[in-house]
Amino acid sequence: MEISLGKLPFDLDFHQSSQLVAAGLISGDLLLYRYASDSAPQRLLDVHAHTESCRALRFINGGQAILTGSPDCSILATDVETGSAIARLEDSHGAAINRLVNLTESTIASGDDDGCIKVWDTRQRSCCSTFEPHEEYISDMTFANDSMKLIATSGDGTLSVCNLRSNKIQTQSEFSEDELLSVVIMKNGRKVICGTQTGNLLLYSWGFFKDCSDRFVDLSPNSVDALLKFDEDRLIAASENGIISLVGILPNRVIQPIAEHSEYPVERLAFSHDQKYLGSISHDNFLKLWDMDEILSDNATSQVVEKDSDNDEMDLEVNTTKFHQGSKKRKDPGLDNSEDFFADL
């Protein structure tokens, strides 16, 4: 399923319970679509949300609103039903906002181009925490809910862990040779996986973040711009060559390329609320929805075929007289007055 967005998209997100998907564009526009398996996607909203690009977006408040962030340093909350502005914070950061991520039902985090992270509490209607762990842009963030720790990656080549209980930066990794572009938590919280500019996946053991414990190089030399956790043992990786791959972690292996968005870099990945669809956006100006049932079915079939092929080959060798054993940062052309930003949310 393809949706032509008309302009370069920077982020996407799916509604938490309905068949809705939103995208933020370089033009500053926010687009909202309803999708279904038996009909063409329907555009519900086209909102000019920001004077500069719409780099980041997330559904909040159970899907009642969409939060967007921009290089114009503003954060906007838009009503999903009407498309009207609920509230706007003009100077939420002192630099361009690059990422938004949901934390709990009532908190979100935002990261900017100067390496600053802010946590926003919708109940208290204010910014409740500010961290400055990085020297370069915040490329990605993920949240460990059980320990209340926010993991962030940056273009400065480091990973940081911010403790939201103590409101302190708990630790930061040593500098990597690579820009860290994406991050997920896997293996029931025991491993943190980072995608890099050179295409390597860096594996960090939980609690030992100073240096990575393992490197997986099979996706290089194409940068891994987006990572998405599939389950505790597998993730989905999107590369700058447009290839989307299913990757196993410990043991580390590329299980199979599952999609090719285009020949251009894939910006972001996201799952629909029921994990039926995988969403991807790319520099080809398209939002594509991939049916995961079909992808997994094709993957299972190919594995059976490969296994049968291996068995046939082994049988042939056994019957012979001899048996042989296995020979990035994106750039677009403050004050903290957040006390009443969430008053109407």
Side-chain angles (χ1 to χ4, degrees):
M1 192 184 309
E2 294 185 353
I3 301 173
S4 177
L5 301 173
K7 296 181 177 65
L8 174 67
F10 276 161
D11 204 0
L12 82 158
D13 195 28
F14 285 90
H15 192 277
Q16 293 93 323
S17 59
S18 300
Q19 291 182 301
L20 301 175
V21 61
L25 307 185
I26 192 172
S27 59
D29 294 333
L30 163 66
L31 304 182
L32 178 66
Y33 291 86
R34 184 180 303 279
Y35 61 90
S37 58
D38 57 353
S39 62
Q42 176 188 6
R43 182 183 291 184
L44 303 180
L45 292 178
D46 184 348
V47 177
H48 189 63
H50 298 278
T51 57
E52 298 186 44
S53 65
C54 182
R55 278 196 194 171
L57 66 84
R58 284 294 180 270
F59 283 95
I60 62 168
N61 288 359
Q64 298 179 40
I66 302 173
L67 209 65
T68 54
S70 170
D72 65 13
C73 299
S74 71
I75 292 178
L76 171 69
T78 300
D79 186 275
V80 167
E81 292 293 331
T82 65
S84 59
I86 300 173
R88 183 188 294 271
L89 177 59
E90 293 293 350
D91 298 304
S92 61
H93 278 257
I97 299 168
N98 197 48
R99 292 295 283 148
L100 291 171
V101 63
N102 296 98
L103 304 180
T104 66
E105 290 183 357
S106 59
T107 55
I108 60 102
S110 55
D112 69 26
D113 276 0
D114 283 349
C116 176
I117 298 169
K118 292 190 177 185
V119 177
W120 306 89
D121 190 326
T122 58
R123 292 171 302 186
Q124 298 298 322
R125 305 172 181 177
S126 65
C127 175
C128 55
S129 301
T130 299
F131 306 95
E132 297 183 354
H134 297 286
E135 299 176 1
E136 289 287 343
Y137 68 100
I138 302 298
S139 57
D140 201 7
M141 294 182 286
T142 190
F143 184 58
N145 187 66
D146 55 344
S147 61
M148 293 295 288
K149 291 183 174 64
L150 179 63
I151 314 295
T153 53
S154 171
D156 64 13
T158 67
L159 171 149
S160 65
V161 181
C162 298
N163 191 321
L164 301 194
R165 288 196 176 106
S166 63
N167 283 332
K168 294 181 179 179
I169 301 170
Q170 181 167 315
T171 189
Q172 189 168 10
S173 71
E174 301 291 341
F175 284 93
S176 167
E177 297 176 356
D178 286 345
E179 293 183 27
L180 304 187
L181 304 179
S182 46
V183 62
V184 293
I185 301 173
M186 297 182 63
K187 294 292 182 178
N188 297 303
R190 299 194 306 273
K191 293 291 180 179
V192 174
I193 320 298
C194 297
T196 69
Q197 183 70 34
T198 60
N200 296 331
L201 295 183
L202 305 185
L203 282 66
Y204 292 84
S205 296
W206 189 266
F208 301 90
F209 292 109
K210 286 299 180 181
D211 197 8
C212 64
S213 59
D214 198 3
R215 292 175 184 264
F216 179 56
V217 301
D218 288 10
L219 295 172
S220 61
N222 296 292
S223 65
V224 180
D225 298 333
L227 291 176
L228 185 63
K229 177 181 174 179
F230 182 68
D231 55 30
E232 297 302 334
D233 301 310
R234 295 173 293 177
L235 58 79
I236 296 174
S239 301
E240 65 177 343
N241 60 357
I243 302 296
I244 302 172
S245 302
L246 185 64
V247 178
I249 298 297
L250 297 176
N252 302 329
R253 64 192 182 101
V254 177
I255 298 172
Q256 185 176 333
I258 57 175
E260 183 176 4
H261 186 111
S262 67
E263 61 184 9
Y264 300 106
V266 176
E267 280 286 332
R268 297 293 177 196
L269 299 171
F271 273 131
S272 60
H273 68 91
D274 53 5
Q275 213 171 65
K276 177 175 174 55
Y277 290 102
L278 168 68
S280 62
I281 53 173
S282 172
H283 292 195
D284 65 352
N285 300 346
F286 275 87
L287 163 59
K288 295 188 178 183
L289 303 182
W290 310 90
D291 190 315
M292 289 301 297
D293 291 336
E294 292 182 4
I295 288 176
L296 295 178
S297 175
D298 291 344
N299 182 40
T301 300
S302 66
Q303 287 180 338
V304 170
V305 171
E306 182 179 350
K307 184 176 181 181
D308 289 344
S309 175
D310 291 343
N311 289 338
D312 291 343
E313 185 176 344
M314 182 173 290
D315 290 341
L316 179 63
E317 291 176 341
V318 168
N319 290 331
T320 60
T321 56
K322 278 190 177 181
F323 177 73
H324 299 280
Q325 279 190 325
S327 66
K328 346 37 177 287
K329 183 201 174 178
R330 300 184 303 271
K331 280 290 188 182
D332 310 324
L335 297 171
D336 189 357
N337 57 349
S338 58
E339 288 77 6
D340 59 354
F341 170 54
F342 293 104
D344 298 321
L345 295 187

